[in-house]
């Protein structure tokens, strides 16, 4: 019997992560098979419904107004357009649709519109997810009542590295929102970004904080930095695929029930690398030509790989 634990220590996480690689992957694949159907992959689609012009200074982000990038501030998408995209995503096999906005927090004047969008997407029989920045208790409750399934709010990295990548909010702000989300009865989707120059200890700290939440996140997106021209964040030249694989495997072992999602950066992985991640316990992807502002892995290529590996969409 594998126990679900919320008290993993940094030392334990380090010992898991630092095992000889094939022992680690054997361990994580074994855990994976105890908790999940290893052929089933959760498919999630993303849509940026309010792009650019964000007041936060996240150094990796194309949408921050602090940097000159190819992404400019756009108005909020109209509900008909959003619903069209949601229907397409469902037709292409997505079970979850994630609505993203470039906000620090949902402005009160936008709340009614957001609730209406959530109600409508929900009616398409899709799990609705939102990623819209910080939330008050009241806002979280309103989102839940409108039928929101999950809220995405990433810790991004470990607490000691956080102020190197963002100065306009604190790590505690992030944890506070995650608690508010959980208290409102919403599922949490929370993970981070690798390849930003963080140390292994920063990754362990992030994994410890995710696994210490009262309930483990329903999904854990593992992003690899997509370098954006104009931002301050360059891809760490020392970061390699093996670091990603070790992180995926460790997340799978310490949060056995969660969906571990291969997220941003998947387009730069080859089929073999992706397959190794699926074997190690990744069981979710973002599907569709675009993530938020950057290109994703090609849907046709995903279909081919699913066929080769005998995977099916959930
Ligand atoms: N504004 C909201 C927030 O920050 O929570 C929601 C949107 S924000 C773009 C969602 C997440 O996308 C970020 O927390 C970050 O983890 C990820 N992300 C953004 N830009 C990225 C990039 N260039 N490479 C990898 N992940 C990225
Ligand atoms: C997550 O962890 N990754 C997604 C989603 N949650 C919102 C976003 C990835 C963004 C990649 C860069 C871009 O396309 O702008
Ligand atoms: Fe804004 Fe989110 Fe981008 Fe940070 S990650 S700049 S909060 S859109």
């Amino acid at each position: 019997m594998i126990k679900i634990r919320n008290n993993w220590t940094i030392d334990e996480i380090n010992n898991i992560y630092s095992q000889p690689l094939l022992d680690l992957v054997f361990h994580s694949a074994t855990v994976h098979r105890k908790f999940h159907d290893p052929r089933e992959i959760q498919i999630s689609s993303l849509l940026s419904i309010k792009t650019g012009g964000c007041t936060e200074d996240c150094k990796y982000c194309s949408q921050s107004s602090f940097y000159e990038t190819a992404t400019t501030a756009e108005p909020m998408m109209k509900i008909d357009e959003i619903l069209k995209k949601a229907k397409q995503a469902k037709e292409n096999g997505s079970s979850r649709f994630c609505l993203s906005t470039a906000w620090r927090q949902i402005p009160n004047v936008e709340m009614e519109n957001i609730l209406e969008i959530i109600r409508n997407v929900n009616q398409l029989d899709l799990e609705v997810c939102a990623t819209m920045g910080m939330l008050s208790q009241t806002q979280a409750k309103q989102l839940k009542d409108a039928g929101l399934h999950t809220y995405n709010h990433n810790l991004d990295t470990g607490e000691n590295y956080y102020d190197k990548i963002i100065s306009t909010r604190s790590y505690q702000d992030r944890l506070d929102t995650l608690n508010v989300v959980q208290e409102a009865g919403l599922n949490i989707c929370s993970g981070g970004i690798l390849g930003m120059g963080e140390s292994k200890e920063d990754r362990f700290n992030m994994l410890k904080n995710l696994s210490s939440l009262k309930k483990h996140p329903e999904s854990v997106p593992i992003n690899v930095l997509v370098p954006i021209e104009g931002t301050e964040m360059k891809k760490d030249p020392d970061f390699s695929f093996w670091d990603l694989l070790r992180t995926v495997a460790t997340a799978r072992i310490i949060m056995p029930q969660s969906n571990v999602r291969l997220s941003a950066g998947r387009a730069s992985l080859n089929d073999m690398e992706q397959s190794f991640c699926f074997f190690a316990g990744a069981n979710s992807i973002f599907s569709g030509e675009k993530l938020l502002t950057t290109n994703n892995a090609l849907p046709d290529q995903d279909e081919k790989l699913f066929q080769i590996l005998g995977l099916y969409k959930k």
Side-chain angles (χ1 to χ4, degrees), residues 258-272:
S258 304
N259 291 316
V260 176
R261 185 174 304 130
L262 265 191
S263 303
R266 202 165 60 82
S268 57
L269 300 181
N270 64 35
D271 283 356
M272 261 76 89

Side-chain angles (χ1 to χ4, degrees), residues 54 56 58 60-61 63-64 102-103 169:
C54 186
E56 304 289 278
C58 314
Y60 50 74
C61 188
Q63 305 193 67
S64 165
W103 288 331
R169 58 168 188 260

